[in-house]
Amino acid sequence: MPPSIVFIVYVNDTSQATRFYSDLLETEPGFRVPGYVTFALGDGADLALWSGRFDGLDPAVPRTGEVCLALPGGPDAIDRRFSRWAQKGVRVVSEPHDEVFGRTFVVADPDGNLIRVAPVD
């Protein structure tokens, strides 16, 4: 069995963060206990929301890491996803632009954690 990987995002309120990520990712969590929720992202990869490690995260504090959602479909797919998320009122950190790896943008969750959308490599 190949190893799996879990990306952990620290949040203040797992219920609020679960609603946010469920809406953004258009999926429901696969595992849920108080203070810890996971979303299956594909073969052997999960996104976990955890409130048990840090209290009082300040959304204004810059984050040095980010979760990246890699989308197929090229630049148009990236721009469509940005439009859908912007209509939901998600806090935009960086609007769609071209980088060396392709079209990308960055938003933030309610705790200030960064979410990048970029093309599949």
Side-chain angles (χ1 to χ4, degrees):
M1 173 194 235
S4 63
I5 188 165
V6 177
F7 300 95
I8 298 174
V9 175
Y10 301 112
V11 299
N12 282 310
D13 182 334
T14 51
S15 294
Q16 177 189 31
T18 299
R19 286 189 302 275
F20 176 85
Y21 282 94
S22 290
D23 185 41
L24 226 56
L25 300 174
E26 299 173 351
T27 189
E28 292 298 316
F31 179 80
R32 186 188 308 223
V33 294
Y36 187 82
V37 175
T38 65
F39 292 88
L41 300 177
D43 292 338
D46 291 327
L47 173 67
L49 309 174
W50 187 23
S51 65
R53 181 72 177 143
F54 293 98
D55 291 324
L57 290 174
D58 183 351
V61 175
R63 301 296 194 261
T64 58
E66 56 191 37
V67 173
C68 182
L69 175 64
L71 294 180
D76 290 340
I78 303 293
D79 289 341
R80 283 192 304 273
R81 184 64 57 109
F82 175 79
S83 293
R84 283 201 340 245
W85 287 7
Q87 288 174 355
K88 294 175 185 276
V90 174
R91 182 166 63 99
V92 175
V93 175
S94 174
E95 293 198 7
H97 62 281
D98 295 321
E99 287 288 350
V100 295
F101 50 82
R103 193 92 173 138
T104 187
F105 68 88
V106 179
V107 299
D109 74 8
D111 291 295
N113 296 302
L114 302 177
I115 305 161
R116 177 176 297 279
V117 175
V120 173
D121 289 339

